[in-house]
Amino acid sequence: MTGPNQQPPGDGVPPSDPTVAWWERPGEGAGQSPAQADPTVLRGNIGAPGPYTAPPAATPYQSGANPYTAPPTYQSGANQQPFAQQQFPPPQQFAQPQAGGYQAPQPQWGAPPRPPSSGNKTLWWVLGSIAIVAVLVISGIVFAVNKATDSLGPDSDKWAGDYEFQKGKNACDLVDLSVLNQWSTTRETTTHTEREPYEYIGGGSYNCDAKNKDSGRNADEASLSLRVEFKSDTGTESDYARWKSSDTSTTGKGHENGPVSGLGTEAYYASEQQIYGSIPNDYTYIVAAIDSNVSVKVEIEVSTMGSYDRAEMSAAAEAQVRKAMAALKK
């Protein structure tokens, strides 16, 4: 055993020196001279004369430090070669990256590169062309719509004439309802409606209905109805033609009809009598006329136990037609 101040025996390497790997130590009984040492084995100067100088202690994980410690010598027989004489490759040393070597590219952040100026000019040219085409297309559509609107606009020549609808006019003001007083003096009901003409097809109408009725059993009654229709662009047949066809279709006992002269372009009358004897008799008289763009019809109906005066009813009906036409003429 060697004391703390004694030189280590043998190869002069202290067994506790951590800087010497286990493969650098000679096995027990090794007698090979340093001159015959294999040059591939590290520390080929082990065993050379001279005092041993321990290398400086290596910091753990410092580059060049050997973290391995020598394991104990394993011998299984007389011919087993010591571990120290076995040759093993040294631990692989990984080289550190050198300055100026390969560097991984770093991501670059920021705005994307600006395209070439020629590309911007082309893009603006295309966008400008599209805008011009869009303006032209929209202008063409607006022009076509305006033309279509003009062609579909109001054409009053198709329904205009010598008479016109008067806004705010009460239909019952077109006639004189006091004519009913000669048959019955008490007013029971009065109704009226006015329909303005349509902008694109014309038309328009006035309707008035009034009824007088006296009190008592089998009392006299008298009513008057006014129909005024202006020409429209919805058909070729006038309201006057329809009325005439309906009012003059029934003939026979108690029914009469015929033309009326001096009233509008054309006029007719139609009368009907229904005699009952024990109850009031019914008498109806109609006068209708057409002139220019208006059709007018007045119907008077009387229910009475008295006699029938045809001339009186004819004059009253014809007078109310003339009055209404005069009120609506331009």
Side-chain angles (χ1 to χ4, degrees), residues 203-263:
S205 65
Y206 291 102
N207 296 319
C208 174
D209 292 282
K211 181 180 179 181
N212 288 7
K213 183 178 181 180
D214 294 336
S215 61
R217 182 178 179 183
N218 296 329
D220 292 341
E221 299 180 13
S223 62
L224 181 149
S225 67
L226 169 69
R227 299 291 179 263
V228 177
E229 296 288 344
F230 288 89
K231 183 180 179 182
S232 67
D233 192 29
T234 58
T236 58
E237 185 179 31
S238 64
D239 293 283
Y240 171 84
R242 292 189 295 101
W243 295 335
K244 184 177 181 180
S245 175
S246 174
D247 295 337
T248 62
S249 61
T250 304
T251 60
K253 185 178 179 180
H255 294 84
E256 295 182 8
N257 63 76
V260 176
S261 60
L263 183 59

Side-chain angles (χ1 to χ4, degrees), residues 103-109:
Q103 298 293 330
Q106 300 296 323
Q108 300 295 327
W109 305 99

Side-chain angles (χ1 to χ4, degrees), residues 43 85 135 156 257 280 302 318:
R43 298 184 57 88
Q85 297 180 2
V135 171
S156 60
N257 63 76
V302 176
E318 184 176 335

